[in-house]
Amino acid sequence: MTALLKGSRILELSNYVATPLCGLVLHQLGADVVRLEPPGGAPDRTRLPLSETGTSMYWAGLNKGKQAIAVDLRTPDGAALAADLAVDAGIVVTNGAHRGPLATEALRERRPDLIHVRLSGTPDGGPAVDYTVQAETGFPLVTGPGSGGTPVNQVLPAWDIAAGLYLATGLLAAVHRRQQTGEGATITLALEDVALSTAGTLGLLTEAQTRGIDRGPDGNHVYGTYGRDFQLADGRRIMLVILTDRHWRSLLEVTGLTDTIAALQNTLDADFSLECVRYQHRALISALLEPWFAARTLPEVGAALEGTRILLAVYRTFDQVAADLADRPLFTELDQPGVGPHLAPAGPLAVDGSNGPVERAPAPGEHTHRVLADLGLTAEEITRLAHAGVIDTGATTRPDTRSA
């Protein structure tokens, strides 16, 4: 793959999902990303899922191809060393509120063209994580079975993922400006703002303000159009989505419901060619469609809908998804220490037709010596810092997994 960011070095002071994802995306585009952890490894190295040996597959997935350096920021020497690394790299990504030599102002005083990108939980710098942000922004109360009553959090950490991609986007924009003008940038992003901005952009908060609609959970119905899940005769379950009038007419033709729906429209004085009207009468439409799907197997449904461009997908478990990864060019076999051989994804962005290589994640402190040598430290200085406990040059101990 053409390494679009080749020659860029980024110091990543982070943990958990959003900022490590930002670093991963940038590395997949060719940047040299150095992730700084405390000696022995960061706390998210113990997160589930774990391999049989206790290695975090979660951590390995988010940190493929990065360099790992272990520095104790609680020590004056460690903080000063990290600041030197930040100034040398010229780009910092963090989700921590650092003070002293690592404070944004201190770093930019030393290097005015520094690009500093920081994620916080709330706009005032307070703590928050994906699941607390979910609770405060409305989405869990419209998720789950139609009966409602209990909020249902999204298992996918959507706001963490969106935040990581926003961070990468902002950083790249700052790099572009620096190349044009020589200016640095201080970019801040709050996880809570990512969720609120998205809810506002999608019209959900506007609807609440202007129409006062108190939405509740609606199962697997797609809000505002016709889409829902159906059980088939062979026990499989599919998700069907009808977006356009062409989709709708094709569905009626295939299921033999054209005349029945026409009569229903006349009775209700409703125009089902409009997706919002189909959503309004979704229960009646579903009552007519359910017997057709329940009487057919997946191959029969697939054959009937072939050529219609109707959107349909089969619900699958992670095990079922993993079973066919060998057929997907995005995945390549990777032998991750502590995990073993498995199929791992490259970056989803294809540049000049290539998704790039798949690389293993580093061990704690694996690249400390190399990175510090690149910074100009002598072997004697590195040894002194290691003996003082300021750095870890590659501990053989594995983080305790009992806290995972």
Side-chain angles (χ1 to χ4, degrees), residues 26-27 60 115 197 226 391:
L26 297 170
H27 173 69
I115 295 171
S197 175
Y226 187 78
I391 63 172

Side-chain angles (χ1 to χ4, degrees), residues 314 316 320-333 343-346 355 358:
V314 182
R316 300 195 295 169
Q320 291 169 328
V321 175
D324 69 4
L325 293 181
D327 298 327
R328 296 183 177 271
L330 183 66
F331 286 78
T332 302
E333 184 166 300
L343 293 172
N355 295 95
V358 177

